[in-house]
Amino acid sequence: MTTIPARLAKTTISSGSWPVAQARARSLYRAWYRAAPEIVTLYAANIPATAIRAKIRQRYEKNKYVDDLQAVDILLAKSYMDYQETLNAWKMDSHLMRMFNDEEIPPQPVAFLDKFYYSRDDPEAVQPAA
């Protein structure tokens, strides 16, 4: 497949008001939603398009309560860059699958000093041995 670098290229836009930002977010969400089957076929992913759509929805829900207009503009710009990179096949399969590894729990420290430093930073993290 030939990649056209200018495909999906857009300039960065600042939203003047909340309705404009919300309309941009809806438009980008719809673009992601419609592109899910294309993403599955493009990357030959062994996951259904519904899983990609659910992950996209989860990402949008995570940022639902951002109340700074400039922060929303940055999030939209990053999301659009991610969308462009995905559809232009500039990502590798591992980059696409990294979206689904967010739920992993970080490993617990094993060595004594690692446990000490870990518990110093987060006292509730390491439970005493019974």
Side-chain angles (χ1 to χ4, degrees):
M1 177 180 165
T2 304
T3 303
I4 303 169
R7 179 179 177 223
L8 303 171
K10 277 188 180 179
T11 57
T12 306
I13 303 169
S14 294
S15 302
S17 63
W18 279 106
V20 172
Q22 290 170 342
R24 289 180 55 216
R26 276 191 306 272
S27 174
L28 185 56
Y29 176 77
R30 287 180 184 138
W32 272 109
Y33 197 85
R34 290 181 186 131
E38 184 180 349
I39 292 169
V40 170
T41 57
L42 184 65
Y43 289 93
N46 194 15
I47 51 174
T50 55
I52 291 177
R53 288 176 174 158
K55 184 53 75 171
I56 292 165
R57 178 69 180 190
Q58 185 181 29
R59 284 183 164 189
Y60 271 78
E61 288 290 329
K62 184 177 80 172
N63 296 317
K64 182 177 180 178
Y65 298 105
V66 176
D67 58 355
D68 184 13
L69 193 57
Q70 291 177 341
V72 170
D73 286 338
I74 291 170
L75 288 170
L76 287 172
K78 285 184 175 186
S79 180
Y80 193 81
M81 283 187 275
D82 193 27
Y83 174 73
Q84 182 183 12
E85 291 170 2
T86 303
L87 289 185
N88 281 336
W90 294 342
K91 290 184 172 188
M92 297 177 78
D93 296 341
S94 60
H95 296 144
L96 181 68
M97 297 310 290
R98 193 174 297 150
M99 284 177 28
F100 296 94
N101 291 338
D102 293 344
E103 296 89 24
E104 287 186 14
I105 299 171
Q108 291 289 325
V110 178
F112 174 76
L113 282 178
D114 293 337
K115 286 182 183 178
F116 174 76
Y117 293 135
Y118 190 73
S119 65
R120 181 188 64 179
D121 296 336
D122 188 8
E124 298 174 5
V126 177
Q127 302 296 329

